[in-house]
């Protein structure tokens, strides 16, 4: 390193390093997120080419399927609803440092609870039945998550283990109920046994469409309302404060006299409630207006339980920003289905691209943050030096002096 | 019920349980190593799927199961490198990067399957190798000592991993990095290198687990693992990050599954109750852990990327 | 704060992108299909993979074989086991001017029930099922898989030396249930004292569970096995390594275990598709249910030439097939 060649007040290195710094800030600040998603999509384009289809047509189909026109925008919003609800639930849980991987199971239990309610009380007027099924769904999900929360709080059973196991239990309970007690027995058309689905659910419980000609229904309002409510809960109430405190440091919170075990349990219960409501939206906002399964969890939830985790983390564990990340992720999913249908590539290609987007975006995120931290540190140092040169040069200068 | 308690059926059930448990055990042991050094990898299932597919494709094209196994492990190692890069160097949030790898592996494995295989053909399963002497022990011989080589390997890796973790310098470094990376760093242990090595080894074992599962099933199918990778991660917690505990968990899970299947096929469990009966492995696993009451604490640095000076 | 600015930037990018994208038309009506020279746009939505050696593969093969003779443009969306996603897809195909949308899975029925009234110019086909919901633009199709099941069950009864036979189904519904019931009836018709074990894994796709179930049956002494759905490949693998006989259904499975597969009941959806396509060309968009059976070449028992099948067994099977075809023998459903 040619330290002696760096003049004190001169400007030999200044322009280059400043330009480089500004470029880096531009890249990492503004463009990191879109660029990383773009990188993932480029690899996806290569895969599309490998299947003999045209990536340009494909991505055009993806964009127009997700955002092109009012119908597409409505479909994306509708897809985003369960993602947002799950993400809100994850925000609560992870803020308390409880990793709720059981979203899938909680969605299903919420859906089952709400379906059972609608089947049991079909003739209640809509303004009673609809809130009732949503509450039932919340209870279903809350109880299911509460089991894991209870074991975590009072028996120190790791929540990742219990929620994954409870997912496995949930799928069997769903299969049992949908082929047994809840099945539509009057399937006169079917000589081949009863399809595991329920009767057409009471019209009083259908989520009303709020934009005619589309599938956009009241679920959107419910989801956004829940997200806003949880935001206030987490940052404006004592309850939320305790959740966040326990998440940051259990020991400190215990020392401060907070009921740690109860808080952990509450966080899981609330988290499950949100996921349960997602289940209700999936059933009562569906095209078929009934609950039907093919025997697997994903067949009903479409992997929302896991995608919701991704959405929550992309939203910085903040329900309000999760609204946006849910919308974008929903766009990716809906657009992907469009793309598959239009250019005829296998469905798995879309899944692969989704995985790549998650990988790339999550990888770049910390770099961005770390760059910001570095920048801040250097700026502070610069102020301390009270020297007009850039921090890079003053650092160089210091090193030069040290060497000498 | 009495038909279940016959020699043939009992021994066959346990033998089947051991086979069923082996892929879980392999993946869980690998994850244990990674988690002991502080890295949580939720992408195990995706890596198992890609390892299974690679093993399948190579075995199909070359006719050699061994080559398939090696390639499966190699694919696991490559994915391990990628996971380590994301988790250690780029310090991405570990839970979410794992899910990304899972989605990626799920999609890519089937994508390649559809593209390169078309109508699937089976590959040769691994032959059972009877261990001389031991396989002649009544009952126990049939249950444990007439399995294929990969199953033996899975169970041999249990004491091997324990030996490495508790009695080698490498193991000490791993444990140190997982408990207190800052302290380890100040002692001159490279946190980065250690974590890279454990994650890569762990993912290699995940690739091996996928290959084992594939050779047990004899053919590849979309989503062959059916979330086995997640169950393996859960078993790490069950086993309290100790190889022996992980083995106990895998065997427990395998035995309950095999018994339920056997009872279903014998008609002991009627079809109407079959679904609820199938919850048994999961329920018993949770209850077992509750009964053991978590006395063990997780590695203190699990899930937290290490930043020197932070 | 960093999250906020990151998302503000995302919004800006997104808004600019949306502006660049052209709006999609609300709905495209399908071109009139009555002229034989116009291409018929056909879409298939299926719950499993196109190469699943079972349910979906049989339909894809049939569609492909009719492509040129009926002047079809075929689009396929496979692995759509998420019902709500499948609903969106079916709706998309319907609104993009497809003449025929085939919903190849019993779980899709409720979707068609809601969509058919909204897209009267589109023909929907639903299988395996027996009802068109009284909609004029829904066709239904099903497989009398119990017929082939009966024949194969009878053969199994003759072939089994231990008189213990195993049947592994996915879920107790649809053509899987029909087949399993028919098979069981066939075994018991040949040998009323035989032990027939029947169980359902609860999943259409879990290969490992099928393999484990097969092992459980073999442990109990079964020397003949059968099963349905794309997950049977696991059970066939076990049959192959334990040298146990296997009867297949939905597609020919001899390639998976050349010396163990005795025969397969192969689905040939061509007769059904031809009737549907001819109907559409003639202006009729639905309102009929079609069946494949041993009688109309929709189902065929494909004997595996590599399996050493005793001549008397084969002759008996052929006799049974003839009896079912000419109506002398009715297999209960």
């Amino acid at each position: 390193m040619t330290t002696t060649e760096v003049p004190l007040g001169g400007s030999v290195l200044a322009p280059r390093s400043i330009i480089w710094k500004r470029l880096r800030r531009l890249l990492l600040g503004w463009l990191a997120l879109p660029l990383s998603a773009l990188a993932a999509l480029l690899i996806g384009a290569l895969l599309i080419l490998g299947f003999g289809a045209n990536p340009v047509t494909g991505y055009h189909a993806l964009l127009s399927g997700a955002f092109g026109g009012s119908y597409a925008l409505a479909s994306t919003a509708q897809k985003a609803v369960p993602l947002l609800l799950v993400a809100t639930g994850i925000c609560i849980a992870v803020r308390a440092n409880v990793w709720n991987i059981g979203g899938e199971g909680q969605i299903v239990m919420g859906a089952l609870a709400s379906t059972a309610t609608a089947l049991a009380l079909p003739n209640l007027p809509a303004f009673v039945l609809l809130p009732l099924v949503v509450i039932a769904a919340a209870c279903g999900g809350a109880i299911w998550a509460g089991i894991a929360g209870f074991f975590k709080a009072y028996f120190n059973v790791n929540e990742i283990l219990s929620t994954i196991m409870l997912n496995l239990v949930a799928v069997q309970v769903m299969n049992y109920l949908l082929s047994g007690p809840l099945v539509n027995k009057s399937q006169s058309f079917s000589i081949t046994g009863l399809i595991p689905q329920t009767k057409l659910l009471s019209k009083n419980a259908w989520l009303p469409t709020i934009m005619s000609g589309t599938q956009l229904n009241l679920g959107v309002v419910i989801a956004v309302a829940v997200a806003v409510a949880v935001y206030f809960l987490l940052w404006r109430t004592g309850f939320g404060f305790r959740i966040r405190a326990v998440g940051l440091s259990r020991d400190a919170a215990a020392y401060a006299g907070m009921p740690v075990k109860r808080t952990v349990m509450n966080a899981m219960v609330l988290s499950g409630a949100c996921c349960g409501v997602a289940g209700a939206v999936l059933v009562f906002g569906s095209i078929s207006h009934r609950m039907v399964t093919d025997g697997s969890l994903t067949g009903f939830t479409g992997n929302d339980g896991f995608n919701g985790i991704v959405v929550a983390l992309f939203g910085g564990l903040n329900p309000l920003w999760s609204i946006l990340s849910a919308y974008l992720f929903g766009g990716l999913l809906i657009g992907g289905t469009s793309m598959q249908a239009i250019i005829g590539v296998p469905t798995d290609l879309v899944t692969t691209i989704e995985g790549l987007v998650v990988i790339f975006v999550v990888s770049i995120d910390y770099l961005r943050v770390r760059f910001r931290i570095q920048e801040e540190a250097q700026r502070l140092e610069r102020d301390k030096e009270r020297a007009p040169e850039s921090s890079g040069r003053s650092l160089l200068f210091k090193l030069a002096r040290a060497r000498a | 019920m009495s038909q279940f308690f016959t020699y043939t059926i009992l021994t066959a059930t346990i033998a089947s349980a051991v086979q069923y448990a082996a892929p879980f055990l392999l993946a869980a042991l690998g994850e244990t190593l990674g988690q002991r050094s502080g890295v949580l990898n939720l992408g195990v299932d995706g890596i198992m799927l890609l390892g299974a597919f690679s093993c399948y494709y190579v075995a199909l094209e070359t006719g050699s199961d061994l080559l398939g196994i090696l390639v499966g492990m190699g694919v696991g190692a490559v994915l391990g490198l990628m996971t380590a890069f994301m988790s250690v160097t780029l310090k991405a949030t570990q839970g979410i990067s794992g899910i990304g790898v899972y989605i990626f592996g799920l999609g890519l494995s089937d994508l390649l399957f559809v593209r390169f295989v078309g109508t699937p053909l089976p590959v040769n399963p691994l032959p059972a190798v009877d261990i001389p002497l031991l396989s002649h022990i009544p009952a126990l011989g049939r249950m444990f000592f007439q399995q294929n080589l990969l199953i033996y390997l899975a169970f041999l890796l249990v004491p091997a991993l324990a030996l490495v973790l508790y009695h080698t310098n490498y193991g000490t470094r791993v444990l140190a990095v997982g408990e207190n990376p800052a302290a380890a760093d100040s002692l001159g242990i490279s946190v980065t290198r250690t974590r890279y090595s454990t994650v890569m080894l762990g993912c290699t074992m995940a690739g091996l687990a996928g290959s084992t599962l594939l050779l047990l099933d004899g053919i590849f199918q979309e989503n062959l693992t059916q979330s086995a990778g997640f169950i393996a991660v859960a078993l790490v917690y069950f086993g309290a990050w100790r190889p022996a505990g992980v083995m106990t968990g895998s065997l427990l899970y395998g035995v309950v599954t095999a018994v339920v299947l056997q009872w279903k096929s014998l008609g002991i469990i009627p079809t109407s109750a079959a679904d609820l009966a199938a919850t048994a492995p999961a329920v018993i696993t949770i209850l077992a852990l509750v009964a053991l009451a978590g006395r063990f604490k997780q590695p203190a640095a699990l899930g937290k990327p290490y930043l020197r000076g932070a | 704060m960093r999250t906020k600015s990151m998302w503000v930037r995302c919004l800006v990018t997104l808004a600019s992108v949306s502006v660049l994208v052209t709006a999609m038309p609300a709905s495209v009506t399908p071109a009139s299909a009555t002229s034989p020279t116009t291409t018929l746009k056909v879409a298939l939505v299926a719950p499993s993979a196109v190469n699943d050696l079972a349910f979906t593969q049989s339909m894809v093969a049939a569609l492909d074989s009719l492509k040129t003779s009926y002047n079809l443009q075929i689009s396929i969306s496979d692995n759509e086991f998420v019902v709500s996603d499948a609903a969106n897809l079916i709706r998309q195909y319907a609104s993009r001017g497809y003449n025929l949308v085939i919903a190849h899975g019993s779980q899709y029925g409720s979707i068609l029930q809601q969509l058919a009234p909204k897209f009267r110019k589109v023909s929907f086909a639903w299988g395996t099922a027996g009802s068109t919901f009284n909609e004029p633009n829904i066709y239904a199709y099903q497989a009398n898989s119990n017929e082939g099941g009966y024949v194969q069950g009878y053969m199994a009864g003759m072939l089994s030396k231990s008189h213990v036979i195993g049947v592994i189904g996915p879920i107790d519904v649809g053509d899987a249930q029909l087949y399993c019931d028919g098979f069981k009836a066939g075994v018991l018709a040949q040998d009323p004292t035989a032990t027939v074990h029947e169980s359902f894994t609860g999943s259409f796709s879990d290969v490992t569970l099928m393999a484990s179930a097969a092992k459980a049956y073999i442990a109990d002494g079964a020397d003949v096995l059968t099963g349905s759905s794309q997950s049977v490949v696991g059970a066939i693998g076990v049959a192959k390594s334990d040298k146990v006989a296997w009867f297949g259904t939905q597609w020919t499975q001899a390639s998976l275990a050349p010396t163990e597969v005795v025969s397969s009941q192969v689905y040939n959806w061509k007769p059904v598709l031809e009737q549907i396509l001819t109907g559409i060309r003639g202006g009729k968009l639905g309102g009929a249910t079609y069946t494949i059976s041993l009688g109309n070449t929709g189902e065929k028992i494909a004997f595996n030439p590599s399996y050493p099948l005793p001549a008397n067994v084969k002759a008996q099977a052929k006799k049974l097939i003839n009896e079912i075809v000419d109506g002398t023998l009715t297999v209960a459903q």
Side-chain angles (χ1 to χ4, degrees):
Chain A
M1 191 155 70
T2 53
T3 53
T4 47
E5 285 169 26
V6 180
L8 243 185
S11 56
V12 176
L13 251 67
R16 249 206 337 234
S17 74
I18 285 187
I19 289 173
W20 172 233
K21 248 185 204 6
R22 294 226 173 107
L23 192 67
R24 253 196 345 182
R25 179 192 298 186
L26 184 79
L27 273 171
L28 281 178
W30 270 93
L31 299 174
L33 215 58
L35 271 185
S36 60
L38 211 66
L41 294 176
L42 273 172
I43 300 188
L46 288 174
L47 288 172
I48 296 176
L49 276 173
F51 275 82
N54 182 343
V56 176
T57 327
Y59 284 129
H60 180 261
L62 190 147
L63 285 172
S64 45
F67 307 119
S70 54
Y71 184 79
L73 290 169
S75 299
T76 303
Q78 194 51 39
K79 183 73 177 168
V81 165
L83 289 174
L84 176 59
L85 284 164
V86 174
T88 309
I90 301 291
C91 287
I92 303 174
V94 177
R95 285 272 175 187
N97 205 21
V98 182
W99 280 83
N100 181 8
I101 315 279
E104 298 271 291
Q106 288 144 29
I107 294 176
V108 161
M109 292 316 259
L112 285 170
S114 59
T115 307
T117 313
L119 284 174
L121 307 165
N123 297 315
L124 288 181
F127 70 89
V128 175
L129 189 58
L130 198 47
L132 199 62
V133 296
V134 172
I135 294 173
C139 290
I143 294 174
W144 203 245
I147 299 175
F150 176 74
F151 285 136
K152 158 102 179 165
Y154 297 97
F155 290 91
N156 210 17
V157 173
N158 184 280
E159 70 278 16
I160 296 188
L161 179 151
S162 49
T163 48
I164 289 178
M165 291 293 153
L166 283 171
N167 280 353
L168 298 176
V169 177
V171 69
Q172 302 298 348
V173 172
M174 172 179 77
N175 285 334
Y176 169 69
L177 287 175
L178 284 180
S179 354
L182 292 183
V183 74
N184 179 9
K185 293 203 170 55
S186 61
Q187 293 180 31
S188 52
F189 51 79
S190 191
I191 50 165
T192 60
L194 301 171
I195 300 172
Q197 67 181 24
T198 64
K199 284 208 297 251
L200 192 65
L201 295 167
S202 163
K203 261 205 165 87
N204 294 334
W206 293 6
L207 288 166
T209 317
I210 58 180
M211 197 158 128
S212 67
T214 71
Q215 282 297 111
L216 194 64
N217 59 41
L218 203 64
V220 174
V221 175
I222 296 176
V224 173
V226 167
V228 172
V230 169
Y231 173 77
F232 278 104
L233 182 79
L234 281 177
W235 276 279
R236 298 273 188 270
T237 67
F239 183 79
F241 178 74
R242 285 196 289 277
I243 287 183
R244 285 182 296 122
V246 165
L248 283 170
S249 168
R250 269 182 93 145
D251 294 330
Y255 189 72
M258 296 186 196
V260 171
K261 294 191 180 177
R262 214 151 32 104
T263 310
V264 163
M265 173 98 179
N266 289 338
M268 268 305 268
V269 164
L270 266 181
S271 181
C274 294
C275 295
V277 174
V281 172
L282 282 174
V283 172
F284 293 98
S286 64
I287 291 182
S288 44
H289 298 298
R290 67 181 82 220
M291 191 168 176
V292 56
T293 179
D294 76 321
S296 66
L297 272 183
T298 327
F300 177 72
T301 64
N303 231 7
D304 282 339
F306 285 107
N307 291 336
I309 300 179
V310 174
V311 166
L313 286 162
F314 279 177
L317 287 179
N318 182 333
L320 292 183
W321 295 113
S322 299
I323 299 178
L324 216 45
S325 70
Y327 194 77
L328 284 176
F329 202 83
L332 180 63
L333 295 174
I334 291 275
T337 320
S338 261
M339 176 168 87
Q340 189 278 319
I342 291 182
I343 60 174
V345 287
T347 321
D348 299 296
L349 185 70
V350 174
T351 316
T352 313
I353 296 181
E354 283 159 21
L356 280 171
V357 169
V358 174
I359 289 176
F360 274 77
V361 170
V362 79
S363 300
I364 212 74
D365 193 56
Y366 195 93
L367 267 189
R368 246 180 10 93
V369 173
R370 215 178 69 167
F371 176 66
R372 283 286 171 85
I373 294 178
Q374 265 181 4
E375 255 201 337
E376 284 300 314
Q378 284 168 356
R379 205 173 295 141
L380 282 170
E381 211 185 81
R382 219 183 306 150
D383 294 339
K384 269 195 241 169
E385 289 285 320
R386 282 193 290 120
E389 310 93 330
S390 77
S391 65
R393 281 168 62 234
S394 76
L395 206 56
L396 260 165
F397 176 61
K398 276 206 295 211
L399 279 163
R401 275 203 308 196
R403 280 271 179 99
Chain B
M1 186 56 128
S2 56
Q3 0 156 223
F4 178 67
F5 290 103
T6 59
Y7 176 79
T8 356
I9 294 188
L10 267 179
T11 50
T13 308
I14 303 293
S16 184
V18 169
Q19 276 184 348
Y20 188 80
F24 292 105
L25 180 59
L26 280 168
L29 285 174
E31 177 73 8
T32 306
L33 186 61
Q35 286 203 7
R36 277 287 195 164
S37 73
V39 180
L40 168 70
N41 178 14
L42 284 181
V44 178
D45 203 47
I47 300 176
M48 279 175 76
L49 278 167
L50 282 169
F53 173 73
S54 330
C55 175
Y56 175 67
Y57 187 66
V58 169
L60 199 63
E61 296 295 311
T62 64
S64 160
D65 283 350
L66 179 62
L67 205 56
I69 295 171
L70 290 173
V71 171
M73 288 170 71
V75 164
V78 167
L79 287 165
L81 185 61
M82 183 174 102
T83 306
F85 182 64
M86 282 194 296
S87 302
V88 181
T89 308
L90 296 180
K91 308 192 203 301
T93 318
Q94 285 166 17
I96 183 178
S97 63
I99 293 181
V101 172
Y102 163 60
I103 300 175
F104 174 67
L106 182 64
L108 188 65
S109 59
D110 196 44
L111 192 66
L112 294 174
F113 178 55
V114 159
R115 175 79 173 82
F116 291 113
V117 178
T119 303
L121 287 173
V123 290
N124 300 322
L126 285 179
V129 174
D130 294 354
I131 299 191
L133 281 183
L134 287 173
S135 64
H136 292 298
I137 305 177
L140 288 180
R142 171 82 181 88
M143 287 191 247
F144 298 114
F145 300 112
Q146 291 177 6
Q147 308 284 3
N148 71 47
L149 284 171
L150 283 179
I151 315 251
Y152 295 137
L153 180 63
F155 285 91
L156 283 174
L157 281 174
V158 174
L161 186 65
L163 197 77
V164 166
L165 269 181
Y166 302 128
H167 298 289
T168 63
N169 285 332
Y170 176 69
T172 321
R173 286 203 291 274
V174 168
L175 294 174
V177 163
E179 291 300 326
N180 193 340
D185 193 21
S186 66
L187 287 171
I189 300 176
S190 165
V191 174
T192 312
R193 270 229 296 263
T194 313
R195 285 184 170 172
Y196 260 83
S197 69
T198 55
V199 170
M200 282 181 72
L201 274 172
C203 293
T204 309
M205 291 182 72
L208 180 61
S211 309
T212 309
L213 181 66
L214 171 77
L215 289 171
L216 279 174
D217 287 340
I219 199 167
F220 187 79
Q221 264 263 333
E222 192 232 351
N223 196 12
L224 186 73
T225 52
Q226 302 277 324
S227 302
F230 287 98
I231 300 175
V233 174
L235 289 171
V236 172
Y237 294 99
F238 181 94
W241 297 274
R242 279 149 181 73
V246 167
M247 179 178 82
T248 315
S250 313
L251 277 176
L252 178 67
Y253 193 82
V255 166
V256 178
T257 311
V259 168
V260 167
L261 272 171
Q262 189 69 52
W263 285 2
K264 250 169 56 170
S265 59
L266 288 178
I268 300 175
I269 299 177
T271 320
S272 52
D275 293 321
L276 292 181
T279 64
V283 168
I284 290 184
T285 307
I286 299 181
L287 292 179
L289 194 56
V290 170
L292 297 177
R295 277 165 288 143
F296 303 103
K297 295 197 67 174
Q298 66 182 36
L302 182 59
K304 304 187 187 109
Y306 174 62
L307 185 55
R308 182 180 287 169
Chain C
M1 272 304 112
R2 61 170 171 97
T3 329
K4 173 180 173 181
S5 51
M6 173 174 96
W7 287 114
V8 166
R9 287 159 183 176
C10 270
L11 254 181
V12 168
T13 325
L14 181 61
S16 31
V17 157
S18 302
V19 164
L20 295 172
V21 173
T22 54
M24 278 180 74
S27 184
V28 174
T29 10
S32 164
T34 41
S35 159
T37 51
T38 49
T39 315
L40 267 184
K41 286 171 72 172
V42 178
L44 170 67
V45 177
S48 55
V50 296
N51 61 343
D52 65 353
L53 284 168
F55 192 58
T56 302
Q57 187 158 357
S58 56
M59 178 55 86
V60 172
L63 261 180
D64 276 340
S65 68
L66 293 174
K67 194 167 168 176
T68 18
S69 51
Y70 277 81
N71 194 2
L72 305 174
Q73 179 199 323
I74 305 174
S75 305
I76 299 179
S77 291
D78 67 344
N79 278 328
E80 294 298 334
F81 50 86
V82 183
V83 179
S84 49
D85 286 349
N88 275 323
L89 257 180
I90 294 175
R91 192 182 226 285
Q92 275 197 35
Y93 280 127
S95 59
R96 279 188 10 237
Y98 276 75
N99 300 96
L100 170 64
V101 182
I102 306 176
H104 192 54
S106 44
Q107 65 264 51
Y108 300 142
S110 47
I111 304 171
L112 294 188
Q113 199 177 10
Q114 302 294 317
L115 285 181
K118 301 197 177 111
F119 294 95
R120 284 291 180 212
K121 293 237 170 60
V122 178
S123 170
F124 296 94
W126 177 37
T128 56
S131 166
T132 63
F133 300 115
N134 287 326
E135 298 286 351
N137 56 338
I138 297 185
Y139 281 107
Y141 57 89
Q142 54 194 5
N144 284 353
S145 46
N146 53 331
E147 290 178 5
Y150 185 89
V151 174
Q152 294 196 146
Y154 204 94
M155 281 200 278
M158 294 176 82
L159 285 173
S160 170
K161 296 192 178 57
S162 64
H163 302 291
V164 178
I165 296 168
V167 179
I168 321 169
I171 298 183
D172 200 7
V173 76
D175 67 319
Q177 191 201 42
L178 267 182
Y179 174 74
C180 292
D181 288 347
F183 190 91
K184 208 168 157 180
V187 173
L188 294 173
Q190 198 280 331
D191 178 2
T193 61
T195 319
V196 184
H197 290 310
E198 187 185 29
S199 71
F200 293 91
T201 59
S203 162
F204 284 105
S205 54
D206 196 333
V207 175
T208 318
L209 266 184
M210 269 272 176
S212 305
K215 282 189 216 154
Y217 287 147
I218 293 175
D220 194 37
D223 60 355
V224 181
L225 294 177
T226 190
S228 174
S229 92
Q230 69 267 30
S231 55
V232 296
V233 291
I236 300 178
V238 170
K240 185 171 176 214
S241 48
D242 286 9
K243 303 265 178 295
V244 163
W246 175 267
F247 285 93
T249 181
Q250 295 182 329
W251 195 243
T252 164
Q253 289 160 351
S255 54
L256 292 172
T259 47
E260 281 74 32
V261 174
V262 181
S263 64
S264 313
Q265 173 181 224
V266 181
Y267 286 177
N268 169 20
W269 295 106
K270 261 174 76 171
V272 162
L273 283 174
E274 283 174 331
Q275 285 177 295
I276 293 179
L277 291 169
T278 316
I280 296 177
R281 286 251 183 242
K284 180 169 158 190
L285 294 178
T289 307
Y290 298 117
T291 318
I292 54 171
S293 62
L294 285 175
N296 66 357
T297 76
E299 283 172 4
K300 183 171 176 311
I301 305 287
F303 294 98
N304 177 11
S306 311
Y307 186 83
L309 189 61
N312 66 323
V313 178
K314 195 165 181 179
Q316 178 65 23
K318 292 214 159 125
K319 177 161 168 279
L320 284 171
I321 295 174
N322 286 332
E323 284 176 9
I324 294 177
V325 167
D326 65 31
T328 339
L329 175 62
T330 341
V331 182
Q333 283 185 335

